Amino acid sequence: MKIHEYQGKELFRQAGVPVLDGVVATTPDEAAAAYEKLGGPIAVVKAQIHAGGRGKGTIIDNPKQHGVVLAKSADEARAAAAGLLGKKLVTIQTGPAGQTVNKVFVEAGCDIARELYLGIVLDRAVAKPVLMVSTEGGMEIETVAEKTPELIHKEHFDPAVGLEAYQVRKLCKKLGISGAAAKAAAKFMPAMCRFYVDSDCELAEVNPLVITGDNQMIALDAKITFDNNALFRHPDYTDLRDLAEEEESELRAGNAGLSYVKLEGNIGCLVNGAGLAMSTMDIIKYHGGQPANFLDVGGSANTEQVTEAFRILLSDPNVKGVLVNIFGGIARCTTIAGALIEASKTVGFNVPLVVRLEGTEVEEGRKMLAESDVNVINATDITDAAKKIVAATGV
């Protein structure tokens, strides 16, 4: 689950991570009032969407309007908010369609001496969280990793212990931080690592992390993603979820107990098992097709779930065909076949449907489909299925 910058900064504040004062606004007048409330000579008006790269991002209908704007008066704050609210902002992470800006965050300015990058993720290779820092603050970290990976410095840490003092000293040396700024880092970095662990984050990123003229270290951004599987430990985080920022079809799938991620292709995929779903998407790509989604119905899918899965798949206007790839282990092929037949009556299949069944009760399942009125293109294996759906969709 992702949250907005302003929400992340409030959590940072509670965790002892220094942030600047700021006010959320949903109208231009509220943005002007926020500027007045902050009382400083400058403020920054920031679009609030679940994507990075906002500073360099632009509004679709107004390329001169960026997602982060410096304001030196209430009128400038009002104008900046008017140029953002209700508009679609395109960044390096949104894709060309952009995301609608429904809120802006008006934040106090500060005296920036240096901009750094800080991020924490789980390194699965060593089964520990890793703190990453770089001197290239404000840059897309993906670009830094690709072009100058030597500028990214890493320290793994034990989640039960946290980041230790000697590790902070190592990172400060690599970043060229000393004196009072190093003392600030000795508080900031361990506090971020504690926050990451205590909040069950998948990602906690600050870009830029700034050192001010008086050697304070401040989080000038907050990009946070929580581990959905751990949200039961944080019931208060539920209120932070912004459904307007999430894909409607993914919400529907989640409510039906399905694992679904929308993609940009035209071949819908209905598969049981995450690994098999990934393999199915790979082989579609290998044979020249483009998957429209990841969809794992799980091992205990029932008729209602399969029907809803087809509703979701076919509601995507880009879908020109559907590949059903089922390996009946826990789920029986007869159960899936029966669900397909019932789904065809409820939803109706208006695009080519390729079905590959294998596993428990496979012959009985194939017979059920053959004797039904469902217009199915049968496939013998995963390669055959991929070739047939690619051909059927005319890719």
Side-chain angles (χ1 to χ4, degrees):
M1 185 182 86
K2 297 179 180 179
I3 60 174
H4 288 295
E5 173 194 0
Y6 75 91
Q7 296 168 318
K9 285 185 172 176
E10 181 55 35
L11 294 179
F12 280 177
R13 192 189 307 276
Q14 296 170 16
V17 176
V19 295
L20 299 171
D21 291 334
V23 181
V24 181
T26 57
T27 68
D29 286 342
E30 287 181 2
Y35 178 93
E36 297 286 3
K37 181 178 180 180
L38 293 172
I42 61 171
V44 183
V45 181
K46 302 181 179 182
Q48 297 297 285
I49 60 171
H50 287 175
R54 293 167 297 158
K56 296 180 181 179
T58 57
I59 295 297
I60 287 181
D61 297 330
N62 182 14
K64 293 183 179 180
Q65 175 71 63
H66 293 280
V68 178
V69 182
L70 185 67
K72 297 182 179 180
S73 69
D75 286 340
E76 288 186 6
R78 181 186 290 106
L84 292 169
L85 291 168
K87 311 294 195 309
K88 285 191 176 293
L89 179 65
V90 178
T91 79
I92 191 174
Q93 294 184 4
T94 65
Q99 289 180 223
T100 302
V101 179
N102 295 311
K103 299 175 183 177
V104 296
F105 186 48
V106 184
E107 186 174 55
C110 69
D111 177 18
I112 300 175
R114 288 188 65 188
E115 292 190 357
L116 307 171
Y117 169 88
L118 182 149
I120 309 171
V121 294
L122 175 65
D123 187 343
R124 296 181 184 277
V126 297
K128 285 184 178 181
V130 56
L131 172 66
M132 301 177 291
V133 296
S134 175
T135 55
E136 305 305 293
M139 295 286 292
E140 287 87 4
I141 195 62
E142 298 87 354
T143 302
V144 178
E146 179 183 357
K147 297 183 177 180
T148 53
E150 69 277 6
L151 297 180
I152 299 178
H153 312 292
K154 303 177 182 180
E155 283 292 326
H156 295 84
F157 61 92
D158 186 330
V161 176
L163 192 72
E164 298 190 65
Y166 78 92
Q167 294 178 295
V168 177
R169 290 194 294 270
K170 285 172 61 178
L171 293 174
C172 284
K173 184 175 181 180
K174 291 175 180 178
L175 293 172
I177 298 174
S178 60
K183 291 182 179 179
K187 295 180 180 179
F188 189 101
M189 292 181 183
M192 278 294 303
C193 293
R194 285 195 302 272
F195 170 80
Y196 176 88
V197 173
D198 292 346
S199 300
D200 289 301
C201 297
E202 286 186 350
L203 167 71
E205 184 180 74
V206 178
N207 189 22
L209 163 65
V210 302
I211 298 177
T212 64
D214 59 354
N215 291 310
Q216 297 301 304
M217 189 168 276
I218 295 175
L220 213 59
D221 189 21
K223 187 176 182 183
I224 297 170
T225 304
F226 297 116
D227 181 353
N228 286 349
N229 294 318
L231 287 176
F232 71 93
R233 288 199 285 257
H234 308 278
D236 51 324
Y237 288 179
T238 303
D239 294 337
L240 302 178
R241 190 174 186 181
D242 186 348
L243 299 182
E245 289 287 319
E246 299 185 34
E247 176 65 42
E248 181 182 357
S249 55
E250 294 179 8
L251 290 173
R252 287 175 58 188
N255 291 335
L258 306 169
S259 296
Y260 173 89
V261 179
K262 190 178 185 303
L263 302 174
E264 297 180 354
N266 64 353
I267 296 175
C269 306
L270 189 153
V271 190
N272 68 324
L276 186 59
M278 296 294 288
S279 299
T280 301
M281 293 190 295
D282 285 346
I283 201 163
I284 287 173
K285 290 274 290 185
Y286 181 79
H287 289 288
Q290 294 291 336
N293 64 275
F294 167 97
L295 174 56
D296 172 17
V297 299
S300 57
N302 54 38
T303 299
E304 290 74 19
Q305 287 176 306
V306 173
T307 300
E308 180 64 5
F310 273 108
R311 286 197 186 99
I312 293 169
L313 292 180
L314 298 176
S315 66
D316 183 350
N318 295 326
V319 170
K320 306 303 179 185
V322 176
L323 170 57
V324 177
N325 186 18
I326 299 295
F327 183 85
I330 299 174
R332 299 173 182 271
C333 290
T334 49
T335 301
I336 297 297
L340 284 173
I341 294 168
E342 289 302 314
S344 71
K345 297 176 183 177
T346 305
V347 181
F349 302 140
N350 54 5
V351 297
L353 177 66
V354 175
V355 177
R356 179 255 183 166
L357 295 178
E358 194 57 77
T360 307
E361 297 183 355
V362 62
E363 295 302 330
E364 296 91 331
R366 290 172 179 169
K367 183 179 179 181
M368 289 172 62
L369 289 176
E371 295 175 350
S372 71
D373 295 329
V374 184
N375 187 12
V376 170
I377 302 172
N378 290 301
T380 56
D381 55 39
I382 188 171
T383 299
D384 183 44
K387 290 179 178 179
K388 285 180 174 176
I389 192 60
V390 170
T393 53
V395 177

